[in-house]
Amino acid sequence: MKKLLKNILCLSLMFFVASFAFSVNFGVNLNTTFGIFDSNVFPSKDSNMLLSEKADLWMVNSFNDNILLRVQGSYELGYDFKTIYNQLDLSCLKLEMEFDISRDSTLNIDLGRFYVSDTNSTVYGNLIDGVNATLNLEDVEMDLFCGYTGLLNANSISIVNSSKEKDSNKIYSLASGFLVAGNSLVANDIWKNNSISYDVFAFVPMEN
């Protein structure tokens, strides 16, 4: 775990130092949450107070008109009824590349950690570490992606049938490892303003 955190910090520092040679935007959002609950409503809780301090950090680095680096992470320190917890999360770390195929067609490729979901966000919607390719035609958009979930923070995501539970005592707890692959297509205005779409997903557990 310590080795993983060191690698994440070293990689983030490397991107941060390199970003000064390019156009970079960054910022920090601070959020404080405080609440007092009725002990009659939550009789099983040892305390009726909730308090958290959260810092969200983001950075967008433009290398040129076609390549962007996006980074977004957060750190939260809080008190939840009777537990003091601190949580580190990296919700986005991806390199975005755009290639012009023709006048009305582009190919977008994302490398790193990003969010993916099916067309209606009913089958799958979560972060993965991997690669995503999106082909944009005049009336058609097609996605093809593949990634891994085992490096995500289990404390901030939900995976059905996960073998690892959330652990508030750890600042970063690795999630269950699944290989996720998918393909989706959306065709707009095919006939009388009607659209057609499909999604195909595959999930392969990488742990016993």
Side-chain angles (χ1 to χ4, degrees), residues 103-167:
R103 181 177 179 181
D104 299 318
S105 304
T106 59
L107 175 65
N108 297 85
I109 297 178
D110 295 340
L111 296 173
R113 177 168 296 182
F114 49 87
Y115 181 85
V116 293
S117 70
D118 59 282
T119 305
N120 298 316
S121 298
T122 56
V123 177
Y124 183 84
N126 219 329
L127 296 170
I128 62 170
D129 296 315
V131 57
N132 179 75
T134 303
L135 178 62
N136 296 291
L137 304 178
E138 184 175 359
D139 294 316
V140 177
E141 179 179 307
M142 183 174 67
D143 281 303
L144 181 64
F145 68 86
C146 181
Y148 180 64
T149 64
L151 299 178
L152 302 176
N153 190 351
N155 295 327
S156 60
I157 66 170
S158 296
I159 298 179
V160 178
N161 296 327
S162 173
S163 61
K164 297 183 179 180
E165 298 180 354
K166 300 178 184 295
D167 189 350

Side-chain angles (χ1 to χ4, degrees), residues 48-186:
N48 62 347
M49 185 179 72
L50 173 68
L51 175 65
S52 72
E53 297 285 347
K54 186 176 182 181
D56 292 294
L57 299 89
W58 59 271
M59 183 186 75
V60 179
N61 191 349
S62 176
F63 295 99
N64 54 46
D65 293 338
N66 301 102
I67 300 178
L68 287 175
L69 173 67
R70 295 186 187 274
V71 181
Q72 184 173 352
S74 64
Y75 174 75
E76 183 176 6
L77 176 63
Y79 174 78
D80 186 2
F81 296 110
K82 65 177 181 179
T83 304
I84 297 177
Y85 64 90
N86 60 95
Q87 180 175 305
L88 179 68
D89 197 18
L90 183 64
S91 57
C92 180
L93 175 57
K94 65 176 179 177
L95 190 66
E96 300 179 359
M97 295 174 286
E98 180 177 326
F99 304 95
D100 293 327
I101 299 176
S102 64
R103 181 177 179 181
D104 299 318
S105 304
T106 59
L107 175 65
N108 297 85
I109 297 178
D110 295 340
L111 296 173
R113 177 168 296 182
F114 49 87
Y115 181 85
V116 293
S117 70
D118 59 282
T119 305
N120 298 316
S121 298
T122 56
V123 177
Y124 183 84
N126 219 329
L127 296 170
I128 62 170
D129 296 315
V131 57
N132 179 75
T134 303
L135 178 62
N136 296 291
L137 304 178
E138 184 175 359
D139 294 316
V140 177
E141 179 179 307
M142 183 174 67
D143 281 303
L144 181 64
F145 68 86
C146 181
Y148 180 64
T149 64
L151 299 178
L152 302 176
N153 190 351
N155 295 327
S156 60
I157 66 170
S158 296
I159 298 179
V160 178
N161 296 327
S162 173
S163 61
K164 297 183 179 180
E165 298 180 354
K166 300 178 184 295
D167 189 350
S168 60
N169 295 322
K170 294 182 179 180
I171 189 172
Y172 198 102
S173 181
L174 292 179
S176 296
F178 285 84
L179 183 63
V180 183
N183 172 236
S184 64
L185 182 142
V186 178

Side-chain angles (χ1 to χ4, degrees), residues 2-43:
K2 292 183 179 179
K3 184 178 180 180
L4 174 63
L5 293 177
K6 288 182 180 179
N7 291 337
I8 293 176
L9 291 175
C10 290
L11 184 62
S12 300
L13 181 61
M14 181 178 65
F15 281 132
F16 181 76
V17 173
S19 67
F20 284 100
F22 305 93
S23 175
V24 57
N25 294 309
F26 60 91
V28 179
N29 294 322
L30 301 177
N31 183 49
T32 299
T33 302
F34 176 75
I36 298 179
F37 300 91
D38 188 348
S39 59
N40 295 323
V41 179
F42 300 96

